[in-house]
Amino acid sequence: MARIIIPQMNTATLELKLNGEDISIQFPVDSMDGYRQAAEVIKAYREVAKKRELVKGELTEDQSAEILDQSIALMERFRDAVRIAIRDEAYNKHLKTVEDDIPFMSWVAILSYIISAYADYFGKVTSTEGEL
């Protein structure tokens, strides 16, 4: 009979100052859902940026409305990706009641930090540096 040992999840810590209070939130850096959501946000950002680039000059009313709608959806996806990354329990405890008061760029900064932690972890576990 084979014995499979599953190691404990690897984590990083997100340090926030929210309404003058220091908050530390540990989140998993080896979460498939977290990676997937971060990738989806990056893809959505590229799509919106590409659409803006393709549309030069004056926009029609429909084009403006479509880009605005996609931009708003993208903002919501940043927040959702953070929630998935830090998990519902931590999100509900620290951010749920104030989520509408957090500026959009703060969500971008939080998700950027999370993606950076993912990249650091992924780089360490896939690195062969020093190994023969």
Side-chain angles (χ1 to χ4, degrees):
M1 181 163 161
R3 181 176 176 166
I4 299 172
I5 298 172
I6 301 173
Q8 190 165 3
M9 194 170 288
N10 292 289
T11 61
T13 303
L14 173 64
E15 301 284 336
L16 301 174
K17 187 168 216 60
L18 184 61
N19 296 328
E21 181 183 344
D22 290 325
I23 298 171
S24 294
I25 302 171
Q26 281 199 326
F27 64 95
V29 291
D30 52 1
S31 163
M32 289 302 295
D33 283 341
Y35 280 88
R36 183 169 284 112
Q37 285 300 315
E40 291 298 319
V41 169
I42 291 168
K43 285 193 317 191
Y45 172 79
R46 286 183 180 152
E47 288 174 19
V48 171
K50 182 178 177 183
K51 187 166 279 188
R52 286 182 182 150
E53 185 64 29
L54 290 174
V55 181
K56 301 284 186 186
E58 293 205 22
L59 301 174
T60 67
E61 194 172 300
D62 288 343
Q63 289 170 323
S64 294
E66 183 180 347
I67 290 172
L68 178 60
D69 186 48
Q70 288 177 340
S71 297
I72 292 167
L74 177 61
M75 288 184 236
E76 292 169 338
R77 290 179 86 172
F78 272 90
R79 184 167 60 188
D80 290 343
V82 169
R83 180 184 51 77
I84 288 168
I86 68 172
R87 306 283 171 98
D88 286 334
E89 184 179 337
Y91 187 87
N92 291 340
K93 179 180 178 182
H94 298 291
L95 301 176
K96 179 71 174 161
T97 59
V98 294
E99 66 185 3
D100 289 333
D101 299 328
I102 297 174
F104 170 67
M105 291 309 295
S106 294
W107 291 112
V108 173
I110 292 168
L111 187 58
S112 294
Y113 174 79
I114 290 169
I115 291 171
S116 171
Y118 287 167
D120 287 347
Y121 171 74
F122 192 73
K124 287 176 188 169
V125 297
T126 59
S127 173
T128 58
E129 189 174 310
E131 294 181 18
L132 295 176

